[in-house]
Amino acid sequence: IDTDVFLKDKAANNFFVGAAVSTNRLSGKYNELLTTEFNSITAESEMKMRTIFLGPGNYNWTAPDALVNYATENNLNIHGHALVWHVEVPDWMTTFTGTDEEFEQIIEDYIKAVVTRYAGKITSWDVVNEAINDGGGIRNSIFLEKMGSDYIAKCFQWAREADPDALLFYNDYNTPEDLTKQNDVYAMIDELQSNNIPIDGIGLQMHISIDNPTRQQIQVDVDKAIERNLIVHFSELDIRVNPDGRQIVNSLTEERDFAQRLKYKEVVDLYNSIPDSFKYAITVWGIRDPESWIIDQYNRPDWPLLFDDSFDRKSAHIGFLEGLE
Ligand code: G3I
């Protein structure tokens, strides 16, 4: 396999190869690697409510503007993440004392303000993120409590009204492995579609490990999306080498490094075999291993990404390229 090729070029124009980025990292070697290997970005934090939504009708555009300007200057696609999510709800919102109708109005105003501002620059949005519980059932949140169970439909409608050209995604995690969650995600989407609510795609986050999920489990999930005519985004891909159930390793052993290469190859090969009209992007959730959220989240060492702390390509990068063959 020719390894002297960049990820975005190997994927050619069938789909974007993206990375989650933070504005505080966009310089020097990081900038060089990002703009040569990738052609799409997702903001790891800059486009979340806590960053932008300072109060009713009060928005702070500094961080998202910086990222959008950077991406535009560097000809990078931008995937917007995330308009409505139960995490990163700003503190002022949790103590909101207005009526439910007033709450709904400020959410509508927020979604329309953000999507309108970046119309033509941000091509796709995670409109609602992680609305279904692990194990199934609609997740309780301030949005469900104050806007009712059709809050998801309302958010998609408002986003579409604000930018008819943006691709609107629902985004969630663990649906290949958690079949009750998977079932309820697609039941929710079926209801949206039966009510003619605009939804263009699904983001499968793909925070996975070298052991789980299996290729077959991912395929079942992808097939359900395609059956519903949904574009598929592998939206937050990272592959842990210290999965539950295995002996924890304190360095990236050769055996785990190779297993990770095979898993990246498997996942990318599966995505590459999706019919082109249902492809959008594979986005890895970070560039260098030490930057990964996984390490703090699981409170143990891990090396889940494509590049090491010296910005060098890992075997995982070869696996990604092999999957694109
Ligand atoms: O910016 C503040 C800083 O001012 C403060 O000093 C510091 C210490 O409290 O916190 C900083 O905010 C942190 C933020 O990342 C920016 O770095 C938050 O604490 C921290 O919780 C936040 O973590 C992010 C997390 O989402 C929550 O937004 C992770 O970086 C990010 O990788 C993670 O990504 C999520 C996706 O959005 C949705 N899918 C799951 C995925 C992993 O949780």
Side-chain angles (χ1 to χ4, degrees):
I1 174 176
D2 171 12
T3 56
D4 192 19
V5 66
F6 297 121
L7 299 171
K8 69 181 183 190
D9 299 326
K10 186 76 176 177
N13 34 14
N14 286 342
F15 57 92
F16 294 117
V17 180
V21 300
S22 304
T23 31
N24 62 352
R25 295 190 180 121
L26 294 178
S27 61
K29 183 75 180 151
Y30 190 99
N31 169 59
E32 183 196 330
L33 192 157
L34 176 64
T35 53
T36 52
E37 292 273 13
F38 299 93
N39 51 14
S40 182
I41 61 165
T42 300
E44 192 162 11
S45 288
E46 289 81 353
M47 294 188 195
K48 292 173 176 175
M49 274 192 178
R50 185 184 292 277
T51 305
I52 300 176
F53 206 170
L54 301 185
N58 181 7
Y59 313 125
N60 180 350
W61 303 116
T62 308
D65 279 1
L67 205 55
V68 168
N69 294 341
Y70 171 85
T72 308
E73 282 158 22
N74 287 281
N75 197 25
L76 296 167
N77 176 70
I78 310 166
H79 174 67
H81 173 81
L83 293 172
V84 168
W85 185 30
H86 67 284
V87 180
E88 299 285 8
V89 169
D91 296 338
W92 63 265
M93 191 178 282
T94 58
T95 56
F96 182 75
T97 54
T99 65
D100 289 355
E101 291 69 26
E102 285 164 346
F103 181 85
E104 179 165 320
Q105 188 58 60
I106 63 173
I107 301 301
E108 177 178 358
D109 294 345
Y110 174 77
I111 288 176
K112 290 185 172 177
V114 175
V115 177
T116 303
R117 184 179 184 88
Y118 299 117
K121 292 179 179 170
I122 295 183
T123 56
S124 58
W125 280 102
D126 289 334
V127 175
V128 174
N129 191 42
E130 303 175 9
I132 301 296
N133 283 316
D134 299 330
I138 190 163
R139 184 189 297 274
N140 190 35
S141 69
I142 192 168
F143 309 105
L144 180 69
E145 283 171 6
K146 290 181 178 294
M147 295 166 62
S149 59
D150 58 348
Y151 86 89
I152 298 167
K154 289 169 181 168
C155 293
F156 277 92
Q157 282 174 309
W158 295 332
R160 177 69 96 226
E161 286 165 28
D163 181 359
D165 298 328
L167 293 175
L168 306 182
F169 286 84
Y170 172 76
N171 194 52
D172 217 326
Y173 65 91
N174 274 15
T175 45
E177 304 92 326
D178 179 342
L179 295 184
T180 46
K181 181 171 191 175
Q182 181 188 112
N183 182 67
D184 286 1
V185 164
Y186 288 108
M188 173 198 66
I189 290 173
D190 288 342
E191 188 180 352
L192 291 174
Q193 292 181 321
S194 65
N195 292 325
N196 296 316
I197 301 300
I199 175 169
D200 302 300
I202 189 165
L204 305 183
Q205 291 183 12
M206 299 296 283
H207 291 299
I208 67 174
S209 82
I210 51 175
D211 293 333
N212 290 304
T214 65
R215 183 182 181 123
Q216 292 72 20
Q217 286 175 310
I218 302 167
Q219 191 65 56
V220 164
D221 201 340
V222 166
D223 289 346
K224 286 189 177 179
I226 292 174
E227 274 166 31
R228 290 162 175 81
N229 210 25
L230 293 169
I231 295 169
V232 179
H233 179 198
F234 280 1
S235 56
E236 305 182 15
L237 179 60
D238 43 35
I239 304 184
R240 303 185 299 280
V241 300
N242 260 327
D244 300 334
R246 280 216 199 192
Q247 171 78 26
I248 299 287
V249 292
N250 288 303
S251 67
L252 183 54
T253 62
E254 206 169 304
E255 179 238 356
R256 300 286 175 96
D257 185 51
F258 189 70
Q260 187 183 55
R261 169 178 167 175
L262 291 182
K263 200 66 179 177
Y264 267 105
K265 177 182 177 180
E266 179 182 273
V267 169
V268 173
D269 182 65
L270 186 155
Y271 192 86
N272 206 23
S273 64
I274 293 172
D276 283 356
S277 57
F278 296 104
K279 290 183 173 109
Y280 177 65
I282 297 177
T283 300
V284 288
W285 204 244
I287 289 192
R288 290 188 298 166
D289 285 335
E291 297 155 7
S292 173
W293 72 287
I294 292 280
I295 297 162
D296 292 342
Q297 177 74 15
Y298 289 81
N299 195 24
R300 59 188 178 213
D302 216 310
W303 303 268
L305 296 169
L306 300 176
F307 299 87
D308 68 19
D309 58 351
S310 309
F311 293 99
D312 290 330
R313 293 171 165 185
K314 296 162 58 191
S315 306
H317 186 281
I318 298 175
F320 201 113
L321 289 173
E322 288 171 328
L324 294 170
E325 281 286 283

